[in-house]
Amino acid sequence: MTAVSHVSLARISLAALAVGLLAAPLAAQSQQQNQQPPASIAHPDLWPQVKAQPQRDPAVEKRVEALLGTMSVEDKVGQLIQVDIGSITPAQVRETRIGSVLNGGNSGPYDDEYAPPAKWLKLADEYYDASMAAPGPKIPIIWGTDSVHGNNNIVGATLFPHNIGLGAARDRDLIREIGKVTALETAAAGLDWTFAPTLAVVQDDRWGRTYESYSEEPEVAADYAGAMIEGVQGKVGTRGFLAPEHLIATTKHFLGDGGTGGRDQGDTRVSEQVLRDVHLGGYPAAIEAGTQSVMASFSSWNGEKMSGNKSLLTDVLKDRMGFDGFVVGDWNSHGQVRGCSNEDCPQAINAGLDMFMYSGPAWKTLYANTLREAKDGTISAARLDDAVRRILRVKLRAGTFDRGRPSSRAYAAKFANIASPENRAVARRAVRESMVLLKNEGVLPLKPTANVLVAGAAADSISQQAGGWSITWQGIDVPNSAFPNAQSIWKGIEETVKAGGGTATYAPDGQFAKKPDVAIMVFGEKPYAEFKGDIPNLEYSPGDKHDLEMLRGFKAAGIPVVAVFLSGRPLWVNAELNASDAFVAAFLPGSEGGGVADVLFAGKDGKPKYDFHGKLSFSWPKRPDQYVLNRRDPNYDPLFPFGYGLTYAAPGKLGQLDETRPAGLEQAAPTVFFERGQTPPGWEIAAEGVRQSGVDHRAQEDARRLTFNGPGSVAFTAPRPFDLSRESNGEISLVFEYRLEGKPSGALTAGFLSGGKLASVPVTGALSATAPGQWGRLAIPLKCFAARGADMASVTAPLVLKATAAADLSVSDVKLDYVSVPMTQCGDEK
């Protein structure tokens, strides 16, 4: 395999030359942050023309027009709206003719995130039946899901390495196979459509979605895009295209999502030239491969939200490039368009969005507003018909009109296809190919006859090796039992060593009774997704150097140590590299941990069974402040450059690295407001009519007892206002632990203070669900406060507890976090 596609490179390069432009240095992105931003209107003639596929089928177009002719305005508006399954029932689909549903990262069938495949299929049938029983023409509903590294929402599915690891594999054929397996395992559960692949070209590795990107280089995305689309959808022009074993694919997030300065849902401030030559990346190849949907990005381009940018969604994507599928929004992304709310945004439809993606209880309001605007001409009849025509075209191409209920389709209910031996073998191959060897001072490959110590809690944590978007959105604290067909890295090593005649011992804390021949330490980032994953610099584990101390402990004991590092991005690990004899960047390998052992260990003949294959798809920093570190930048100075990767056949030496931590590194904005009895620096706990005292929860005086003698309030107050608008749009909650010391005499509320205004929700009943004297935890979605008028961009106190009468409770661990709660659960209100 070559590293990049020459055809894809030529397409992009010729497009630039045709207008007499050269690729601007990517550093221009950071340089432009402090300059007047360029315009946010694209010029279609500067963008490449694309041979969009498939060509239109006259029979399909005839059916589309016939359907349009029978549809009322109400029918048409229903097709424009997609609602999260946590917000809409099948009965409501029947009432309102909604055309699509999705399961967000926090949604599972019947509110069960750990639902087995049969439950997914049962609910898919119910939604389908409701859509076909709705009044008017019979138009099947379609269900979209984030199968971003396998069918990762379903217990037992095969999970592949995240895209950053696949980018290191440089194997287009492997990508195609992964697409096929993902489609097959998703189709088994009766779902129609995946929101993948992500083609972001990430330029700032602080972004919490870096691992969803194949590479910092657009050529890698261009090389992979067509192969992944073909794997998911089937190859255009063959009988397999959108056949029952395939899905509708989504290319996302259009456009510039990787250039937001490391901030989720941020602003990509670059010239049109850079937007085209860097961030367009794999989109031409995806359109040529026949992608049937494109997802508009949450992010902005030079201040204008992509969901409202007509020049890009319509003039460039649809008109210039010829894309004739449909454009879907991201999670309530239309609500961020200037002048819009989540429930009212004709601007997005007029700009070229064809389908709203909506989550929340007020989807009927969005429907009613869109219907009114379609009737009064705010959304023209031509634009409405164009959007519906595109959606119907894709549904017809995908066979949804002809294949009946999800459970009756050719590959539905064939649950043996989920994590079949063949599919797991593809995933294990992907693990082997995606790992990058950064250092090897003669210790690898290991002898399977050795006495091996495996250390680090991550070694036996499938959720940590799988990362975010694994069963749950953030992937946090998912037990190994939720991955019944997976193998942890430790179990893979144990199996290999046992078969080779050696001894393997697992000690998460690194302790041992008998000195081992070698230690393999598995460590790295805990799972995260957007919001939670954004970081201020690239230092690994600031403030907690336990992993480093364990590595140094092995060194001091004279034990050779192999570091297996799990991460969603390159990080500053100079000290950890110095403390290791071998260092492997395993990224986020997914469910087949045995693939790690395949490469670390030799066979019985002493020769490697598999050599290292991976080459860095992201440049590796030598300092923690090198978060913008891309090959085309001036003064490019990485520790390991793009394309680096040692092998057994081509070893290399790494000298002692500088471990000096630069002064003045930017720190993360606080997401923990009270922990271990302390608030962040500069914060205070302001009380009126309340006596405070320290009490013990997990440690000495790590909680605060709040005794209200009558009406009163307690506020956890920041030294200056801070912005939680992004978090309030996602599935992030205000979480705190509490203990009622007795039954409250009156009502209790929890609120947000912003701009001098308090937005509160009642919590008396929710707190009383836990017996007095027992600790409980309450999670209130940030959306609850936003819906009550809080200015989430200017929060001064993220928790204000108020009582109308005497009350006595203790509080600890006040923070923002992802918790699996319904986004409509606002304290006592449901």
Side-chain angles (χ1 to χ4, degrees):
M1 286 295 301
T2 56
V4 296
S5 162
H6 296 293
V7 173
S8 298
L9 278 170
R11 180 194 304 115
I12 295 173
S13 300
L14 288 172
L17 291 172
V19 294
L21 297 173
L22 297 175
L26 303 191
Q29 295 184 83
S30 56
Q31 294 168 359
Q32 289 174 6
Q33 297 291 331
N34 299 318
Q35 298 176 2
Q36 184 70 23
S40 56
I41 299 175
H43 301 83
D45 59 327
L46 301 183
W47 294 72
Q49 290 182 307
V50 176
K51 187 179 180 182
Q53 295 289 342
Q55 295 182 15
R56 292 184 186 174
D57 181 340
V60 169
E61 298 305 308
K62 184 177 179 180
R63 288 182 70 181
V64 168
E65 296 306 320
L67 278 166
L68 269 177
T70 66
M71 295 173 72
S72 66
V73 177
E74 288 80 2
D75 296 327
K76 293 175 181 178
V77 169
Q79 293 299 306
L80 268 57
I81 298 175
Q82 178 186 61
V83 184
D84 177 56
I85 63 171
S87 303
I88 191 170
T89 65
Q92 290 170 324
V93 167
R94 178 174 179 171
E95 294 168 11
T96 52
R97 295 166 269 192
I98 294 298
S100 177
V101 291
L102 80 150
N103 57 286
N106 193 35
S107 302
Y110 314 104
D111 294 324
D112 181 4
E113 285 191 313
Y114 295 92
K119 268 192 174 182
W120 291 79
L121 185 57
K122 180 176 182 293
L123 186 58
D125 273 349
E126 291 175 14
Y127 279 120
Y128 175 87
D129 291 344
S131 70
M132 299 305 283
K138 307 306 179 188
I139 302 175
I141 198 168
I142 52 174
W143 183 333
T145 188
D146 283 283
S147 290
V148 295
H149 67 133
N151 188 6
N152 43 260
N153 296 285
I154 290 186
V155 170
T158 306
L159 302 188
F160 295 96
H162 272 293
N163 284 358
I164 188 171
L166 298 181
R170 302 293 207 281
D171 188 338
R172 190 189 302 111
D173 294 333
L174 172 65
I175 296 301
R176 187 178 292 103
E177 287 300 311
I178 289 171
K180 287 180 181 178
V181 172
T182 299
L184 188 65
E185 296 199 9
T186 305
L191 308 189
D192 308 279
W193 172 19
T194 175
F195 304 133
T198 298
L199 297 181
V201 183
V202 173
Q203 302 295 288
D204 187 322
D205 300 344
R206 293 175 297 178
W207 192 31
R209 304 190 78 160
T210 297
Y211 64 80
E212 296 186 51
S213 172
Y214 292 121
S215 178
E216 70 190 33
E217 284 291 325
E219 290 87 350
V220 178
D223 188 49
Y224 274 7
M228 181 58 81
I229 296 296
E230 284 184 3
V232 171
Q233 292 191 163
K235 186 174 178 60
V236 172
T238 71
R239 295 174 63 89
F241 180 64
L242 290 173
E245 69 271 26
H246 291 290
L247 305 174
I248 299 165
T250 303
T251 310
K252 66 181 187 183
H253 307 85
F254 191 86
L255 184 65
D257 49 343
T260 59
R263 181 175 172 82
D264 197 62
Q265 301 183 18
D267 190 4
T268 298
R269 292 182 170 247
V270 299
S271 68
E272 184 174 1
Q273 177 185 348
V274 171
L275 187 71
R276 181 201 62 203
D277 293 347
V278 175
H279 296 284
L280 187 62
Y283 283 92
I287 293 169
E288 289 185 358
T291 186
Q292 290 298 285
S293 68
V294 168
M295 186 180 292
S297 180
F298 256 121
S299 57
S300 304
W301 176 43
N302 297 329
E304 182 174 351
K305 286 291 178 179
M306 282 301 312
S307 289
N309 194 314
K310 181 177 182 295
S311 69
L312 284 166
L313 295 183
T314 297
D315 300 343
V316 169
L317 177 63
K318 294 178 176 179
D319 294 344
R320 178 69 171 179
M321 295 191 197
F323 172 67
D324 71 356
F326 65 84
V327 177
V328 63
D330 206 341
W331 187 265
N332 293 339
S333 64
H334 58 274
Q336 297 184 11
V337 174
R338 190 179 296 110
C340 289
S341 68
N342 289 352
E343 289 72 41
D344 191 8
C345 194
Q347 295 94 317
I349 299 296
N350 288 334
L353 199 75
D354 301 309
M355 184 184 289
F356 294 117
M357 181 188 289
Y358 183 89
S359 172
W363 59 268
K364 286 185 179 181
T365 305
L366 175 64
Y367 175 88
N369 285 332
T370 308
L371 178 60
R372 170 178 50 79
E373 289 149 357
K375 287 183 173 181
D376 69 17
T378 302
I379 299 171
S380 71
R383 173 77 271 264
L384 178 65
D385 282 356
D386 176 58
V388 176
R389 185 179 287 112
R390 289 170 174 274
I391 294 165
L392 294 178
R393 178 182 295 127
V394 172
K395 288 185 175 184
L396 283 164
R397 283 173 174 170
T400 54
F401 281 84
D402 306 317
R403 293 177 187 153
R405 303 176 83 215
S407 61
S408 70
R409 296 171 189 167
Y411 287 85
K414 293 188 176 180
F415 300 135
N417 285 333
I418 295 178
S420 68
E422 296 82 6
N423 294 352
R424 292 186 64 181
V426 175
R428 188 157 177 157
R429 170 188 162 197
V431 174
R432 291 194 296 266
E433 292 193 19
S434 63
M435 295 190 299
V436 180
L437 181 61
L438 299 181
K439 178 181 180 179
N440 183 21
E441 304 295 339
V443 65
L444 292 177
L446 301 174
K447 296 178 180 178
T449 56
N451 174 19
V452 179
L453 176 70
V454 178
D460 199 32
S461 171
I462 297 170
S463 71
Q464 191 163 348
Q465 73 190 43
W469 290 108
S470 299
I471 307 299
T472 66
W473 175 40
Q474 296 284 330
I476 301 168
D477 298 328
V478 180
N480 281 1
S481 60
F483 304 96
N485 299 316
Q487 185 179 51
S488 71
I489 294 172
W490 149 244
K491 288 297 184 181
I493 293 171
E494 181 186 40
E495 180 181 80
T496 297
V497 174
K498 183 177 180 180
T503 303
T505 305
Y506 179 47
D509 60 2
Q511 298 299 309
F512 54 88
K514 179 183 177 183
K515 183 177 178 181
D517 297 324
V518 65
I520 302 173
M521 183 169 164
V522 185
F523 65 104
E525 292 186 292
K526 297 292 177 61
Y528 57 81
E530 62 256 54
F531 303 118
K532 291 283 290 181
D534 292 359
I535 56 176
N537 62 72
L538 298 186
E539 180 180 3
Y540 169 64
S541 194
D544 181 0
K545 298 302 179 184
H546 176 76
D547 296 330
L548 177 59
E549 292 166 4
M550 196 183 299
L551 287 168
R552 287 173 171 168
F554 291 133
K555 276 286 225 184
I559 300 169
V561 57
V562 176
V564 176
F565 186 54
L566 304 176
S567 74
R569 54 196 149 205
L571 291 170
W572 184 58
V573 287
N574 284 17
E576 289 81 1
L577 279 158
N578 285 338
S580 306
D581 295 290
F583 195 101
V584 177
F587 298 107
L588 300 170
S591 58
E592 293 302 316
V596 175
D598 287 347
V599 185
L600 294 185
F601 285 88
K604 292 183 178 179
D605 60 1
K607 297 179 180 179
K609 293 188 292 183
Y610 298 94
D611 203 346
F612 282 90
H613 178 96
K615 304 297 180 185
L616 288 178
S617 58
F618 283 82
S619 305
W620 200 281
K622 65 171 56 173
R623 301 190 315 273
D625 55 359
Q626 287 181 302
Y627 34 79
V628 178
L629 182 65
N630 304 299
R631 184 172 59 169
R632 303 179 189 181
D633 293 344
N635 304 314
Y636 177 61
D637 186 29
L639 178 63
F640 303 116
F642 173 88
Y644 180 88
L646 301 175
T647 65
Y648 293 134
K653 284 284 185 179
L654 183 68
Q656 189 74 9
L657 302 175
D658 183 4
E659 299 181 15
T660 306
R661 185 180 187 275
L665 282 179
E666 182 182 350
Q667 300 301 306
T671 57
V672 176
F673 312 127
F674 181 65
E675 186 178 49
R676 300 173 185 171
Q678 301 292 323
T679 57
W683 286 59
E684 62 176 339
I685 304 176
E688 294 183 7
V690 181
R691 184 175 74 253
Q692 301 184 51
S693 58
V695 295
D696 298 346
H697 180 197
R698 296 185 178 87
Q700 184 175 3
E701 295 196 0
D702 65 337
R704 191 67 55 92
R705 184 169 181 172
L706 309 173
T707 305
F708 296 76
N709 296 319
S713 66
V714 175
F716 292 77
T717 305
R720 63 190 64 85
F722 61 105
D723 185 358
L724 292 177
S725 54
R726 295 179 305 142
E727 288 79 359
S728 65
N729 191 55
E731 299 186 2
I732 299 295
S733 295
L734 171 69
V735 183
F736 61 92
E737 297 187 34
Y738 67 91
R739 181 177 67 190
L740 290 178
E741 308 298 348
K743 184 177 180 180
S745 300
L748 292 165
T749 60
F752 254 53
L753 183 64
S754 59
K757 179 180 178 181
L758 182 65
S760 298
V761 300
V763 295
T764 314
L767 296 178
S768 300
T770 300
Q774 300 295 316
W775 283 96
R777 183 174 70 162
L778 181 62
I780 307 171
L782 296 187
K783 288 181 178 180
C784 297
F785 301 111
R788 286 157 177 76
D791 180 2
M792 304 305 290
S794 184
V795 177
T796 51
L799 176 59
V800 179
L801 290 168
K802 294 189 72 173
T804 61
D808 194 359
L809 74 157
S810 298
V811 173
S812 76
D813 294 357
V814 181
K815 58 186 176 180
L816 300 181
D817 209 346
Y818 163 75
V819 177
S820 180
V821 296
M823 291 293 102
T824 54
Q825 180 72 56
C826 297
D828 294 346
E829 299 179 2
K830 297 184 180 180

